[in-house]
Amino acid sequence: MKKRSNKVKYYNDTDFGEQMECAIQDGTAIIGEGDGITEFIAKAKAKRQAENQRKMYSIRLKVSVVEGIKKKAAAAGVPYQTYINALLEKAVI
């Protein structure tokens, strides 16, 4: 409950004008005619959730490959599935 109230306080106390202006200038804003801050935040949150949507896939990999990935992920200080996700994203983008 406390965490949620901190988030509400943050949004109530923060002026998002600068972030909105930057987003409008760099073309990442999703703002329509007559939208206010509440609509802007709601649209930004929905866009972020859509971009981060995940689906589970099952693939067969060599054990040695997975072990190598786990070692590199540990050296980087990230969970190995996060590391794999970053590698795959980098490969396709």
Side-chain angles (χ1 to χ4, degrees):
M1 198 70 147
K2 176 105 172 131
K3 188 176 182 180
R4 182 170 171 83
S5 66
N6 285 344
K7 284 183 179 181
V8 170
K9 181 173 177 13
Y10 169 77
Y11 286 109
N12 285 338
D13 294 348
T14 303
D15 175 16
F16 291 95
E18 187 176 323
Q19 288 95 329
M20 288 177 69
E21 187 62 37
C22 288
I24 290 167
Q25 288 176 3
D26 69 17
T28 58
I30 327 164
I31 193 160
E33 198 65 37
D35 280 353
I37 187 71
T38 305
E39 292 84 3
F40 176 80
I41 292 171
K43 287 179 183 180
K45 182 177 178 183
K47 182 175 187 269
R48 199 168 42 249
Q49 286 175 340
E51 288 172 348
N52 292 324
Q53 184 177 6
R54 302 200 181 249
K55 181 178 177 184
M56 187 167 73
Y57 292 92
S58 178
I59 60 173
R60 295 181 185 272
L61 301 169
K62 291 181 183 179
V63 172
S64 61
V65 170
V66 175
E67 293 304 317
I69 289 171
K70 285 182 177 182
K71 286 179 186 176
K72 288 189 174 196
V78 296
Y80 82 95
Q81 289 185 354
T82 302
Y83 188 80
I84 291 172
N85 214 351
L87 289 174
L88 290 171
E89 188 173 346
K90 185 177 180 182
V92 298
I93 294 179

Coordinates of all heavy atoms in Angstrom, one line a residue:
M1 N 0.8 -1.2 0.0 CA 0.0 0.0 0.0 C 0.9 1.3 0.0 O 0.6 2.2 -0.7 CB -0.9 -0.1 1.2 CG -2.1 0.8 1.1 SD -3.2 0.2 -0.1 CE -4.7 0.7 0.5
K2 N 1.9 1.2 0.8 CA 2.8 2.4 0.9 C 3.5 2.7 -0.5 O 3.6 3.8 -0.9 CB 3.9 2.1 1.9 CG 4.9 3.2 2.1 CD 4.7 4.0 3.3 CE 5.9 4.9 3.5 NZ 5.5 6.3 3.8
K3 N 3.9 1.6 -1.2 CA 4.6 1.8 -2.5 C 3.6 2.5 -3.5 O 4.0 3.4 -4.2 CB 5.0 0.4 -3.1 CG 5.8 0.5 -4.3 CD 6.3 -0.9 -4.7 CE 7.1 -0.8 -5.9 NZ 7.6 -2.1 -6.4
R4 N 2.4 2.1 -3.5 CA 1.4 2.7 -4.4 C 1.2 4.2 -4.0 O 1.1 5.0 -4.9 CB 0.1 1.9 -4.3 CG -1.0 2.5 -5.3 CD -2.2 1.6 -5.4 NE -3.3 2.1 -6.1 CZ -3.4 2.2 -7.4 NH1 -2.4 1.7 -8.2 NH2 -4.4 2.7 -8.0
S5 N 1.1 4.5 -2.7 CA 0.9 5.9 -2.3 C 2.1 6.7 -2.7 O 1.9 7.9 -3.0 CB 0.5 6.0 -0.8 OG 1.6 5.6 -0.1
N6 N 3.3 6.2 -2.7 CA 4.4 6.9 -3.1 C 4.4 7.2 -4.6 O 4.8 8.3 -5.0 CB 5.7 6.1 -2.8 CG 6.1 6.1 -1.3 OD1 5.5 6.9 -0.5 ND2 6.9 5.2 -0.9
K7 N 3.9 6.3 -5.4 CA 3.8 6.5 -6.8 C 2.7 7.6 -7.1 O 3.0 8.5 -7.9 CB 3.3 5.2 -7.5 CG 4.5 4.2 -7.7 CD 4.0 3.0 -8.5 CE 5.1 2.0 -8.7 NZ 4.7 0.9 -9.5
V8 N 1.6 7.5 -6.4 CA 0.6 8.6 -6.6 C 1.1 9.9 -6.2 O 0.9 10.9 -6.9 CB -0.7 8.2 -5.7 CG1 -1.7 9.4 -5.7 CG2 -1.3 6.9 -6.3
K9 N 1.8 10.0 -5.1 CA 2.4 11.3 -4.6 C 3.4 11.8 -5.7 O 3.4 12.9 -6.0 CB 3.1 11.1 -3.3 CG 3.7 12.3 -2.7 CD 4.3 12.1 -1.3 CE 4.9 13.3 -0.7 NZ 4.8 14.6 -1.3
Y10 N 4.2 10.9 -6.2 CA 5.2 11.3 -7.2 C 4.5 11.9 -8.4 O 4.9 13.0 -8.9 CB 6.0 10.1 -7.7 CG 6.9 10.3 -8.9 CD1 8.0 11.0 -8.8 CD2 6.5 9.9 -10.2 CE1 8.8 11.3 -9.9 CE2 7.2 10.1 -11.3 CZ 8.4 10.8 -11.2 OH 9.2 11.1 -12.3
Y11 N 3.4 11.2 -8.9 CA 2.7 11.8 -10.1 C 2.0 13.0 -9.8 O 1.9 13.9 -10.6 CB 1.8 10.7 -10.7 CG 2.5 9.7 -11.4 CD1 2.7 8.4 -11.0 CD2 3.2 10.0 -12.6 CE1 3.4 7.4 -11.6 CE2 3.9 9.0 -13.3 CZ 4.0 7.7 -12.8 OH 4.7 6.8 -13.5
N12 N 1.5 13.2 -8.5 CA 0.8 14.4 -8.2 C 1.8 15.5 -8.0 O 1.4 16.7 -8.2 CB 0.0 14.2 -6.9 CG -1.3 13.4 -7.1 OD1 -1.8 13.3 -8.2 ND2 -1.7 12.7 -6.1
D13 N 3.0 15.3 -7.5 CA 4.0 16.3 -7.2 C 4.9 16.6 -8.3 O 5.7 17.6 -8.3 CB 4.8 15.9 -6.0 CG 4.0 15.8 -4.7 OD1 2.9 16.2 -4.7 OD2 4.5 15.2 -3.7
T14 N 4.9 15.9 -9.4 CA 5.8 16.0 -10.5 C 5.2 16.8 -11.7 O 4.1 16.5 -12.1 CB 6.4 14.7 -11.0 OG1 6.9 14.0 -9.9 CG2 7.4 14.9 -12.1
D15 N 5.9 17.8 -12.2 CA 5.5 18.5 -13.4 C 6.1 17.8 -14.6 O 7.3 17.8 -14.7 CB 6.0 20.0 -13.3 CG 5.6 20.7 -14.6 OD1 4.8 20.3 -15.3 OD2 6.2 21.8 -14.7
F16 N 5.3 17.2 -15.4 CA 5.8 16.5 -16.6 C 5.9 17.3 -17.8 O 6.1 16.8 -18.9 CB 4.9 15.3 -16.8 CG 5.0 14.2 -15.8 CD1 4.1 14.2 -14.7 CD2 6.0 13.3 -15.8 CE1 4.2 13.2 -13.7 CE2 6.1 12.3 -14.8 CZ 5.1 12.3 -13.8
G17 N 5.8 18.6 -17.7 CA 5.9 19.5 -18.8 C 7.1 19.3 -19.6 O 7.1 19.3 -20.9
E18 N 8.3 19.3 -19.0 CA 9.6 19.1 -19.7 C 9.6 17.8 -20.4 O 10.0 17.8 -21.6 CB 10.7 19.2 -18.7 CG 12.1 19.3 -19.4 CD 13.2 19.4 -18.4 OE1 13.0 20.2 -17.4 OE2 14.3 18.8 -18.6
Q19 N 9.2 16.7 -19.8 CA 9.2 15.4 -20.5 C 8.3 15.4 -21.7 O 8.6 14.9 -22.7 CB 8.8 14.3 -19.5 CG 9.9 13.9 -18.5 CD 9.6 14.7 -17.2 OE1 9.1 15.8 -17.1 NE2 10.0 14.0 -16.1
M20 N 7.1 16.1 -21.5 CA 6.2 16.2 -22.6 C 6.7 17.0 -23.8 O 6.6 16.6 -24.9 CB 4.8 16.8 -22.1 CG 4.0 15.9 -21.2 SD 2.5 16.7 -20.6 CE 1.6 16.9 -22.1
E21 N 7.4 18.1 -23.4 CA 8.0 18.9 -24.5 C 9.0 18.1 -25.3 O 9.1 18.2 -26.5 CB 8.5 20.2 -23.9 CG 9.0 21.2 -24.9 CD 7.9 21.7 -25.8 OE1 6.8 21.9 -25.3 OE2 8.2 21.9 -27.0
C22 N 9.9 17.4 -24.5 CA 11.0 16.6 -25.2 C 10.4 15.5 -26.1 O 10.8 15.3 -27.2 CB 11.9 16.0 -24.1 SG 13.0 17.1 -23.3
A23 N 9.3 14.9 -25.6 CA 8.7 13.8 -26.3 C 8.0 14.4 -27.6 O 8.1 13.7 -28.7 CB 7.7 13.1 -25.5
I24 N 7.5 15.5 -27.5 CA 6.8 16.1 -28.7 C 7.9 16.5 -29.7 O 7.8 16.3 -30.9 CB 6.0 17.4 -28.3 CG1 4.7 16.9 -27.5 CG2 5.6 18.2 -29.5 CD1 4.0 18.0 -26.8
Q25 N 9.0 17.1 -29.2 CA 10.1 17.5 -30.1 C 10.8 16.3 -30.8 O 11.1 16.4 -32.0 CB 11.1 18.3 -29.3 CG 10.6 19.7 -29.0 CD 11.6 20.5 -28.1 OE1 12.7 20.0 -27.9 NE2 11.2 21.7 -27.7
D26 N 11.0 15.2 -30.0 CA 11.7 14.1 -30.7 C 10.8 13.1 -31.3 O 11.2 12.1 -31.9 CB 12.6 13.3 -29.7 CG 11.9 12.6 -28.6 OD1 10.7 12.3 -28.7 OD2 12.6 12.2 -27.6
G27 N 9.5 13.4 -31.3 CA 8.5 12.6 -32.1 C 8.0 11.3 -31.4 O 7.4 10.5 -32.0
T28 N 8.3 11.2 -30.1 CA 7.9 10.0 -29.4 C 6.6 10.2 -28.6 O 6.1 9.3 -28.0 CB 9.0 9.5 -28.4 OG1 9.3 10.5 -27.5 CG2 10.2 9.1 -29.1
A29 N 6.1 11.4 -28.6 CA 4.9 11.7 -27.8 C 3.7 11.1 -28.5 O 3.6 11.0 -29.8 CB 4.7 13.2 -27.7
I30 N 2.7 10.6 -27.7 CA 1.5 10.1 -28.3 C 0.4 11.0 -27.7 O -0.2 10.7 -26.6 CB 1.2 8.7 -27.8 CG1 2.5 7.9 -27.6 CG2 0.2 8.0 -28.7 CD1 2.3 6.6 -26.9
I31 N 0.3 12.2 -28.2 CA -0.7 13.1 -27.6 C -1.6 13.7 -28.7 O -1.2 13.9 -29.8 CB 0.1 14.3 -27.0 CG1 -0.8 15.1 -26.1 CG2 0.9 15.1 -28.0 CD1 0.0 15.9 -25.1
G32 N -2.8 13.7 -28.4 CA -3.8 14.1 -29.4 C -4.3 15.5 -29.0 O -4.0 16.1 -28.0
E33 N -5.1 16.1 -29.9 CA -5.7 17.4 -29.7 C -6.5 17.4 -28.4 O -7.4 16.6 -28.2 CB -6.6 17.7 -30.9 CG -6.9 19.2 -31.1 CD -5.6 20.0 -31.4 OE1 -4.7 19.6 -32.1 OE2 -5.6 21.1 -30.8
G34 N -6.2 18.3 -27.6 CA -7.0 18.5 -26.3 C -6.5 17.5 -25.2 O -7.1 17.5 -24.1
D35 N -5.5 16.7 -25.4 CA -5.1 15.8 -24.3 C -4.4 16.6 -23.3 O -3.6 17.5 -23.5 CB -4.1 14.7 -24.9 CG -4.8 13.6 -25.5 OD1 -6.0 13.5 -25.5 OD2 -4.1 12.7 -26.1
G36 N -4.6 16.2 -22.0 CA -3.9 16.8 -20.9 C -2.9 15.8 -20.4 O -2.6 14.8 -21.0
I37 N -2.3 16.2 -19.2 CA -1.3 15.3 -18.6 C -1.8 13.9 -18.3 O -1.0 13.0 -18.5 CB -0.7 16.1 -17.4 CG1 0.6 15.3 -16.9 CG2 -1.7 16.2 -16.3 CD1 1.7 15.4 -17.7
T38 N -3.0 13.8 -17.8 CA -3.5 12.5 -17.4 C -3.6 11.6 -18.7 O -3.2 10.4 -18.6 CB -4.9 12.6 -16.8 OG1 -4.8 13.5 -15.7 CG2 -5.4 11.3 -16.3
E39 N -4.1 12.1 -19.8 CA -4.2 11.3 -21.0 C -2.8 11.0 -21.5 O -2.6 9.9 -22.0 CB -5.0 12.1 -22.1 CG -6.5 12.2 -21.7 CD -6.7 13.4 -20.8 OE1 -5.8 14.2 -20.5 OE2 -7.9 13.6 -20.4
F40 N -1.9 11.9 -21.5 CA -0.5 11.7 -21.9 C 0.1 10.6 -21.2 O 0.7 9.7 -21.8 CB 0.3 13.0 -21.8 CG 1.7 12.8 -22.2 CD1 2.1 12.9 -23.5 CD2 2.7 12.7 -21.2 CE1 3.5 12.7 -23.8 CE2 4.1 12.5 -21.5 CZ 4.4 12.5 -22.9
I41 N 0.0 10.6 -19.8 CA 0.6 9.6 -19.0 C 0.0 8.2 -19.3 O 0.7 7.2 -19.4 CB 0.5 9.9 -17.5 CG1 1.4 11.1 -17.2 CG2 0.9 8.8 -16.6 CD1 1.3 11.7 -15.9
A42 N -1.3 8.2 -19.4 CA -2.0 6.9 -19.7 C -1.6 6.3 -21.1 O -1.3 5.1 -21.2 CB -3.5 7.1 -19.7
K43 N -1.5 7.2 -22.1 CA -1.0 6.7 -23.4 C 0.4 6.2 -23.4 O 0.8 5.2 -24.0 CB -1.2 7.8 -24.4 CG -2.7 8.0 -24.8 CD -2.8 9.1 -25.8 CE -4.3 9.4 -26.1 NZ -4.4 10.5 -27.1
A44 N 1.3 7.0 -22.7 CA 2.7 6.6 -22.6 C 2.8 5.3 -21.8 O 3.6 4.4 -22.3 CB 3.5 7.7 -21.8
K45 N 2.0 5.0 -20.8 CA 2.1 3.8 -20.0 C 1.6 2.6 -20.9 O 2.2 1.6 -21.0 CB 1.2 3.9 -18.8 CG 1.2 2.7 -17.9 CD 0.4 2.8 -16.7 CE 0.4 1.6 -15.9 NZ -0.4 1.7 -14.7
A46 N 0.5 2.8 -21.7 CA 0.0 1.8 -22.6 C 1.0 1.4 -23.7 O 1.3 0.3 -24.0 CB -1.3 2.2 -23.2
K47 N 1.7 2.5 -24.2 CA 2.7 2.2 -25.2 C 3.9 1.4 -24.7 O 4.4 0.5 -25.3 CB 3.2 3.6 -25.8 CG 4.2 3.4 -26.9 CD 4.6 4.8 -27.5 CE 5.5 4.6 -28.7 NZ 6.9 4.6 -28.4
R48 N 4.3 1.8 -23.5 CA 5.5 1.1 -22.8 C 5.1 -0.3 -22.5 O 5.9 -1.2 -22.8 CB 5.8 1.9 -21.5 CG 7.2 1.6 -21.0 CD 7.6 2.5 -19.8 NE 6.5 2.8 -18.9 CZ 6.0 4.0 -18.7 NH1 6.3 5.0 -19.5 NH2 5.0 4.2 -17.8
Q49 N 3.9 -0.6 -22.1 CA 3.4 -2.0 -21.8 C 3.4 -2.8 -23.1 O 3.8 -3.9 -23.1 CB 2.1 -2.0 -21.1 CG 2.1 -1.6 -19.7 CD 0.8 -1.4 -19.0 OE1 -0.2 -1.3 -19.7 NE2 0.8 -1.4 -17.7
A50 N 2.9 -2.2 -24.2 CA 2.9 -2.9 -25.5 C 4.3 -3.2 -26.0 O 4.5 -4.3 -26.5 CB 2.1 -2.0 -26.5
E51 N 5.2 -2.3 -25.8 CA 6.6 -2.5 -26.3 C 7.2 -3.6 -25.4 O 8.1 -4.3 -25.9 CB 7.4 -1.2 -26.2 CG 7.0 -0.2 -27.2 CD 7.7 1.1 -27.0 OE1 8.3 1.3 -25.9 OE2 7.6 2.0 -27.9
N52 N 6.9 -3.7 -24.2 CA 7.5 -4.7 -23.3 C 6.7 -6.0 -23.1 O 7.1 -6.8 -22.3 CB 7.7 -4.1 -21.9 CG 8.7 -3.0 -22.0 OD1 9.7 -3.0 -22.7 ND2 8.5 -1.9 -21.2
Q53 N 5.7 -6.2 -23.9 CA 4.9 -7.4 -23.9 C 5.8 -8.6 -24.2 O 6.6 -8.5 -25.1 CB 3.7 -7.3 -24.9 CG 2.8 -8.5 -24.8 CD 1.6 -8.3 -25.7 OE1 1.6 -7.4 -26.5 NE2 0.7 -9.2 -25.6
R54 N 5.6 -9.6 -23.4 CA 6.4 -10.8 -23.6 C 5.5 -12.0 -23.8 O 4.4 -12.1 -23.4 CB 7.3 -11.0 -22.4 CG 8.2 -9.8 -22.1 CD 9.3 -10.1 -21.3 NE 10.1 -8.9 -21.1 CZ 11.3 -8.7 -21.6 NH1 11.8 -9.6 -22.3 NH2 11.9 -7.6 -21.4
K55 N 6.1 -13.0 -24.5 CA 5.5 -14.3 -24.7 C 6.5 -15.4 -24.5 O 7.7 -15.2 -25.0 CB 4.9 -14.4 -26.1 CG 4.1 -15.6 -26.4 CD 3.5 -15.6 -27.8 CE 2.9 -16.9 -28.1 NZ 2.4 -17.0 -29.5
M56 N 6.1 -16.5 -23.9 CA 7.1 -17.5 -23.7 C 7.3 -18.4 -24.9 O 6.3 -18.8 -25.6 CB 6.7 -18.4 -22.5 CG 7.7 -19.4 -22.1 SD 7.4 -20.2 -20.6 CE 6.1 -21.3 -21.0
Y57 N 8.5 -18.7 -25.3 CA 8.8 -19.6 -26.4 C 9.7 -20.7 -25.8 O 10.5 -20.5 -24.9 CB 9.6 -18.9 -27.5 CG 8.7 -17.9 -28.2 CD1 8.6 -16.5 -27.8 CD2 7.9 -18.2 -29.3 CE1 7.8 -15.6 -28.4 CE2 7.1 -17.3 -29.9 CZ 7.1 -16.0 -29.5 OH 6.2 -15.1 -30.1
S58 N 9.7 -21.8 -26.5 CA 10.5 -23.0 -26.1 C 11.4 -23.3 -27.2 O 10.9 -23.6 -28.3 CB 9.7 -24.1 -25.7 OG 10.5 -25.2 -25.3
I59 N 12.7 -23.3 -27.0 CA 13.7 -23.7 -28.1 C 14.7 -24.6 -27.5 O 15.0 -24.6 -26.3 CB 14.4 -22.5 -28.7 CG1 15.2 -21.7 -27.7 CG2 13.4 -21.6 -29.4 CD1 16.0 -20.6 -28.3
R60 N 15.3 -25.5 -28.3 CA 16.3 -26.4 -27.9 C 17.7 -25.8 -28.2 O 18.0 -25.4 -29.3 CB 16.2 -27.7 -28.6 CG 14.9 -28.5 -28.3 CD 14.9 -29.8 -29.0 NE 13.6 -30.5 -28.7 CZ 13.4 -31.3 -27.7 NH1 14.3 -31.5 -26.8 NH2 12.2 -31.8 -27.6
L61 N 18.5 -25.7 -27.2 CA 19.9 -25.2 -27.3 C 20.9 -26.2 -26.7 O 20.5 -27.0 -25.9 CB 20.0 -23.9 -26.5 CG 19.1 -22.7 -27.0 CD1 19.2 -21.6 -25.9 CD2 19.5 -22.2 -28.3
K62 N 22.1 -26.2 -27.2 CA 23.1 -27.0 -26.7 C 23.4 -26.6 -25.2 O 23.4 -25.4 -24.9 CB 24.4 -26.9 -27.4 CG 24.4 -27.4 -28.8 CD 25.7 -27.2 -29.5 CE 25.7 -27.7 -30.9 NZ 27.0 -27.5 -31.6
V63 N 23.6 -27.5 -24.4 CA 23.9 -27.3 -23.0 C 25.1 -26.3 -22.8 O 25.1 -25.4 -22.0 CB 24.1 -28.6 -22.2 CG1 24.6 -28.3 -20.7 CG2 22.8 -29.4 -22.2
S64 N 26.1 -26.6 -23.7 CA 27.3 -25.8 -23.6 C 27.0 -24.3 -23.9 O 27.6 -23.4 -23.4 CB 28.4 -26.3 -24.5 OG 28.0 -26.3 -25.8
V65 N 26.1 -24.1 -24.8 CA 25.7 -22.7 -25.2 C 25.0 -22.0 -24.0 O 25.4 -20.9 -23.7 CB 24.8 -22.7 -26.5 CG1 24.2 -21.3 -26.7 CG2 25.5 -23.2 -27.7
V66 N 24.1 -22.7 -23.4 CA 23.4 -22.1 -22.3 C 24.4 -21.9 -21.1 O 24.3 -20.8 -20.5 CB 22.2 -23.0 -21.8 CG1 21.6 -22.5 -20.6 CG2 21.2 -23.2 -22.9
E67 N 25.3 -22.8 -20.9 CA 26.3 -22.6 -19.8 C 27.1 -21.4 -20.1 O 27.5 -20.6 -19.2 CB 27.1 -23.9 -19.6 CG 26.3 -25.0 -19.0 CD 25.6 -24.7 -17.7 OE1 26.2 -24.1 -16.9 OE2 24.4 -25.1 -17.6
G68 N 27.6 -21.2 -21.4 CA 28.4 -20.1 -21.7 C 27.6 -18.8 -21.6 O 28.1 -17.8 -21.1
I69 N 26.3 -18.8 -21.9 CA 25.5 -17.6 -21.8 C 25.3 -17.3 -20.3 O 25.4 -16.1 -19.9 CB 24.1 -17.8 -22.4 CG1 24.3 -17.8 -24.0 CG2 23.1 -16.7 -22.0 CD1 23.0 -18.2 -24.7
K70 N 25.1 -18.3 -19.5 CA 25.0 -18.0 -18.0 C 26.3 -17.4 -17.4 O 26.2 -16.5 -16.6 CB 24.7 -19.4 -17.3 CG 23.2 -19.8 -17.5 CD 22.9 -21.1 -16.7 CE 21.5 -21.5 -16.9 NZ 21.1 -22.7 -16.1
K71 N 27.4 -17.9 -17.9 CA 28.7 -17.3 -17.4 C 28.8 -15.9 -17.8 O 29.2 -15.0 -17.0 CB 29.9 -18.1 -17.9 CG 30.1 -19.5 -17.2 CD 31.2 -20.2 -17.8 CE 31.3 -21.6 -17.2 NZ 32.4 -22.4 -17.8
K72 N 28.5 -15.6 -19.0 CA 28.6 -14.2 -19.5 C 27.6 -13.3 -18.8 O 27.9 -12.1 -18.5 CB 28.4 -14.1 -21.0 CG 29.6 -14.6 -21.8 CD 29.5 -14.4 -23.3 CE 30.8 -14.8 -23.9 NZ 31.0 -14.3 -25.2
A73 N 26.4 -13.8 -18.6 CA 25.4 -13.0 -17.9 C 25.8 -12.7 -16.4 O 25.7 -11.6 -15.9 CB 24.1 -13.8 -17.9
A74 N 26.4 -13.7 -15.8 CA 26.8 -13.6 -14.4 C 28.0 -12.5 -14.4 O 28.0 -11.7 -13.5 CB 27.3 -14.9 -13.8
A75 N 28.9 -12.6 -15.3 CA 29.9 -11.6 -15.4 C 29.4 -10.2 -15.6 O 29.9 -9.2 -15.1 CB 30.9 -11.9 -16.5
A76 N 28.3 -10.1 -16.4 CA 27.7 -8.8 -16.6 C 26.8 -8.4 -15.5 O 26.3 -7.2 -15.4 CB 26.8 -8.8 -17.9
G77 N 26.5 -9.3 -14.6 CA 25.6 -9.0 -13.4 C 24.2 -8.9 -13.7 O 23.4 -8.2 -13.1
V78 N 23.7 -9.7 -14.7 CA 22.3 -9.7 -15.0 C 21.8 -11.2 -15.1 O 22.6 -12.1 -15.3 CB 22.0 -9.0 -16.4 CG1 22.3 -7.6 -16.4 CG2 22.7 -9.7 -17.5
P79 N 20.5 -11.4 -14.9 CA 20.0 -12.8 -15.0 C 20.2 -13.3 -16.4 O 20.1 -12.5 -17.4 CB 18.5 -12.6 -14.7 CG 18.4 -11.3 -13.9 CD 19.5 -10.5 -14.4
Y80 N 20.4 -14.6 -16.6 CA 20.8 -15.1 -17.9 C 19.6 -14.9 -18.9 O 19.9 -14.7 -20.1 CB 21.3 -16.5 -17.9 CG 20.2 -17.6 -17.8 CD1 19.8 -18.2 -18.9 CD2 19.7 -18.0 -16.6 CE1 18.8 -19.2 -18.9 CE2 18.7 -19.0 -16.5 CZ 18.3 -19.6 -17.6 OH 17.4 -20.6 -17.6
Q81 N 18.4 -15.0 -18.5 CA 17.3 -14.8 -19.5 C 17.2 -13.4 -20.0 O 16.9 -13.1 -21.1 CB 16.0 -15.3 -18.9 CG 15.9 -16.8 -18.7 CD 14.6 -17.3 -18.3 OE1 13.7 -16.5 -17.9 NE2 14.4 -18.6 -18.2
T82 N 17.5 -12.4 -19.1 CA 17.6 -11.0 -19.5 C 18.7 -10.8 -20.5 O 18.6 -10.1 -21.5 CB 17.8 -10.1 -18.2 OG1 16.7 -10.4 -17.3 CG2 17.8 -8.7 -18.6
Y83 N 19.8 -11.5 -20.2 CA 21.0 -11.4 -21.1 C 20.6 -12.0 -22.5 O 20.9 -11.4 -23.5 CB 22.1 -12.2 -20.5 CG 23.5 -12.0 -21.2 CD1 24.2 -10.9 -21.0 CD2 23.9 -13.0 -22.0 CE1 25.5 -10.7 -21.7 CE2 25.1 -12.9 -22.7 CZ 25.9 -11.7 -22.5 OH 27.1 -11.6 -23.1
I84 N 20.0 -13.1 -22.5 CA 19.6 -13.8 -23.8 C 18.6 -12.8 -24.6 O 18.8 -12.6 -25.8 CB 18.9 -15.1 -23.6 CG1 19.9 -16.1 -23.1 CG2 18.2 -15.6 -24.8 CD1 19.3 -17.5 -22.6
N85 N 17.7 -12.2 -23.8 CA 16.7 -11.3 -24.4 C 17.5 -10.2 -25.1 O 17.2 -9.7 -26.2 CB 15.7 -10.8 -23.4 CG 14.4 -10.6 -23.9 OD1 14.2 -10.6 -25.1 ND2 13.4 -10.3 -23.0
A86 N 18.5 -9.6 -24.4 CA 19.2 -8.5 -24.9 C 20.0 -8.9 -26.2 O 20.1 -8.2 -27.2 CB 20.2 -7.9 -23.9
L87 N 20.6 -10.1 -26.1 CA 21.4 -10.6 -27.3 C 20.5 -10.7 -28.5 O 20.8 -10.3 -29.6 CB 22.0 -11.9 -27.0 CG 23.2 -12.0 -26.0 CD1 23.6 -13.4 -25.7 CD2 24.4 -11.2 -26.6
L88 N 19.3 -11.3 -28.3 CA 18.4 -11.6 -29.4 C 17.8 -10.2 -30.0 O 17.7 -10.1 -31.2 CB 17.2 -12.5 -29.0 CG 17.6 -13.9 -28.7 CD1 16.4 -14.6 -28.1 CD2 18.0 -14.6 -30.0
E89 N 17.5 -9.3 -29.1 CA 17.0 -8.0 -29.5 C 18.1 -7.3 -30.3 O 17.8 -6.7 -31.4 CB 16.6 -7.2 -28.3 CG 15.9 -5.9 -28.7 CD 15.3 -5.2 -27.5 OE1 15.2 -5.7 -26.4 OE2 15.0 -4.0 -27.6
K90 N 19.3 -7.3 -29.9 CA 20.4 -6.7 -30.6 C 20.6 -7.3 -32.0 O 20.9 -6.6 -33.0 CB 21.7 -6.8 -29.8 CG 22.8 -6.0 -30.4 CD 24.1 -6.1 -29.5 CE 25.2 -5.3 -30.1 NZ 26.4 -5.4 -29.3
A91 N 20.4 -8.6 -32.1 CA 20.6 -9.3 -33.3 C 19.5 -9.0 -34.4 O 19.8 -9.0 -35.6 CB 20.6 -10.8 -33.1
V92 N 18.4 -8.6 -33.9 CA 17.3 -8.4 -34.9 C 17.0 -6.9 -35.2 O 16.3 -6.6 -36.1 CB 16.0 -9.1 -34.5 CG1 16.1 -10.6 -34.5 CG2 15.4 -8.5 -33.2
I93 N 17.6 -6.1 -34.4 CA 17.3 -4.6 -34.6 C 18.5 -3.9 -35.3 O 19.6 -4.2 -35.3 CB 17.0 -3.9 -33.2 CG1 15.7 -4.5 -32.7 CG2 16.9 -2.4 -33.4 CD1 15.2 -3.9 -31.4

